[in-house]
Amino acid sequence: MRKIFAMLLILMLIPLIPSTAERSRAFLRVPAVYQTPDGLLSGTLGNLTVEVEKGEGIVYFSAEPLTQIDTQGAARTAALVASYLLGIDPKSMNFYYRLESGSTVVGGPSAGAAMTVATVAAILGKQVRQDIIITGMINLDGIIGPVGGIPQKLEAAARAGAKMFLVPAGQEIVEETVPKQVRIGPLILTTVEKRKVNISELGAKLGVKVVEVSTIEDALNYMLGLKIERPSTERPEIPKEVKELLSKWVRNYLNQSEAIRGSVRSEVGKLGALSKRVINSILSDSENYSSSARDEMAKGNLYTAASYAFQSVVEADYARSLLNYALRGEDAVNELMRRADSKLKEVGERLNSTKPQDLSGVEAIIASKARYYDAKNALKRAADLASKGSYLDSMDWGAIHYLTYAYWRADSASNWMDMMGLSQRMQVDEIRVKEVASAILYEAESVISYSESLIEETGASSSYLKEAYSNLNDANTAFSSGDYYGSIGLSTTALAYGIISIHEWFTSDPNAVEEAVKSSCYSSINALMSKGIIPVLALSYSEMASSMEGSILESIAYYELASAHAHVISLLSQVSGEQIETKSSLETTSTVERVTVTQTVKEESGIQETYLIAALILGVFLGFVVGRKSH
């Protein structure tokens, strides 16, 4: 009887034990930059704590002091990337981020890579090396992106005793701005002086080894001793059915382009010498695009060929539109306006009445929506120019050129809908589509905001950043109106341009970045294709990127775009509970760990065991006392 009573006491005590083992935690130090009262930049280290537990995909973020939106956005991206790497549905967990820093304002997503490392560590129950400090953005594809203030962050890491400092690939040499006072008579003026800093050399002087890292996998290898095996980085092959559709686009555009050029040539003799020369020049451009399309088709680059063929038909039709304007005046412009408006309405109705039945259908809708919005903007711009009588090109396109483009852009949106039905049929979760749209939009806002702040500091400007903002504004409009597919397409484009605008000014070795982005892109596409999913957009953009490798920034932009679309499809298709294989580079054996989400940090398990032992001892003691009294 005594023993039974004692065991009952133990069982009553166990539920009172704190459930700390349900939440895993990881800690590391992150570098930040703040501005001193005299206008100089200085580095400091903040404390980052990340906790994860089973949940509903909610990301909690708190900071002291308060942070800007781009830092908070980095936490959401870190949760997505860590989940993707480990094959975990991000909707199956809750993520808690706490960032404490000595800087007055913690701005910029430069803690994104550190957050991702800490998130992986928390999920796996691993400890992070505290003698290694990392700075860098984290992109959706796991690429570690460029950041500012690296020299100051390195100095802060050195003061804290760090032995290694991880920086984004391509940023071994950075340019920093330093305020400089110049005396002119009785006046003292403050100017800005730019100078290049070799981070590796600076690190050597400070006793810190500087290492460039391209991907989050590189960082995990250094900071956790973890090697993640990812799918092949070989260039993926576009499936036969996709090639057939792309070939059809190319042939149709080339045939239409040729027919239009023929009709224009038969009528252009009616014009004066100057008008004739202008139109013949445009026809020549159209022919050149057709020739480029045939060349790319011969190489097997069918999406690139389709892009050239599209430009060919736009220019051919523009020549025809100019001819009609020269012969008929404003009536020709009004007819173009009605044609473009009618085409947009036709495509819009088709888009609104179509629901995707598989993941390739999702991509088809996303691609169509993005092109539809582009056509709408072109039509709006044309109407504005026409109201001012600006029909012809000068420094920029005139109304006639925009109207021609709007029509054919809407036509290309219709073409993309033919890509539906290429993957296995599946139920598309519209709630999840909205959640992914929100995540991509938030990430785009974060990166673009950070890019703007960095570029402003240099006094430079970027056409990529302007393009990013244009797409971001449209993405916000689409999301607010409930068009989540359109928002995804526009947000991913905005995100790619935002990232490339940072590379434009802050990456000294874009070739290293291109190679890293390409490998990550191919790996993501191959992972999807191994599951029977055909990521048409990602395949198309990656092909375009490979054909543009002579133009390094454009190539990186298309690889980023391809990778982002691959990750969108991955997020929409992911099933909770999937596992990946990892290898620890610190182990002496070749044992492969099976990664699960049930592991917890050792310290917390120890606390749980302590409570359990205490409960047992107390139970035994009470049993002994009860036994004594019963005698």
Side-chain angles (χ1 to χ4, degrees), residues 24-26 50-52 117-126 599 601:
S24 302
R25 178 185 297 116
V50 178
E51 296 181 325
V52 297
V117 169
T119 306
V120 171
I123 292 172
L124 299 183
K126 287 184 171 290
Q599 300 180 29
V601 179

Side-chain angles (χ1 to χ4, degrees), residues 194-359:
K194 295 183 179 180
R195 65 185 183 193
K196 292 189 180 295
V197 180
N198 186 304
I199 302 301
S200 294
E201 292 178 359
L202 177 60
K205 293 178 183 177
L206 298 172
V208 180
K209 182 179 180 180
V210 174
V211 177
E212 291 184 274
V213 286
S214 301
T215 66
I216 196 63
E217 290 93 334
D218 296 338
L220 291 171
N221 196 19
Y222 282 109
M223 302 186 77
L224 299 184
L226 190 69
K227 184 174 178 60
I228 293 183
E229 303 292 342
R230 295 197 64 183
S232 168
T233 58
E234 294 295 319
R235 179 175 175 176
E237 179 70 21
I238 296 179
K240 179 182 177 182
E241 54 267 47
V242 178
K243 287 182 178 180
E244 289 174 350
L245 277 173
L246 290 173
S247 297
K248 179 182 175 182
W249 293 0
V250 176
R251 289 193 300 271
N252 286 345
Y253 281 139
L254 289 179
N255 289 338
Q256 291 179 85
S257 178
E258 186 176 358
I260 293 171
R261 286 197 301 268
S263 69
V264 173
R265 287 196 175 98
S266 67
E267 298 285 327
V268 75
K270 299 176 182 179
L271 304 181
L274 179 59
S275 298
K276 188 187 300 183
R277 187 161 58 247
V278 170
I279 289 177
N280 282 332
S281 175
I282 296 169
L283 292 176
S284 178
D285 290 340
S286 174
E287 287 179 333
N288 290 335
Y289 283 128
S290 290
S291 178
S292 296
R294 294 188 186 93
D295 290 343
E296 293 298 331
M297 199 170 185
K299 297 175 186 176
N301 296 329
L302 297 177
Y303 179 74
T304 308
S307 297
Y308 280 123
F310 171 79
Q311 293 176 75
S312 176
V313 76
V314 169
E315 291 307 294
D317 197 30
Y318 174 48
R320 179 171 63 181
S321 300
L322 284 180
L323 172 66
N324 289 334
Y325 174 67
L327 296 174
R328 297 166 48 208
E330 290 188 0
D331 286 345
V333 179
N334 292 332
E335 183 180 311
L336 285 172
M337 192 80 71
R338 288 191 295 271
R339 183 184 73 153
D341 185 60
S342 175
K343 187 69 172 180
L344 271 164
K345 287 179 179 177
E346 173 195 325
V347 174
E349 289 172 0
R350 185 182 176 193
L351 279 169
N352 291 333
S353 63
T354 302
K355 297 295 182 184
Q357 301 299 320
D358 58 14
L359 289 174

Side-chain angles (χ1 to χ4, degrees), residues 165-179:
F165 188 62
L166 306 183
V167 301
Q171 286 202 289
E172 181 185 17
I173 299 174
V174 298
E175 190 176 75
E176 65 174 353
T177 56
V178 181

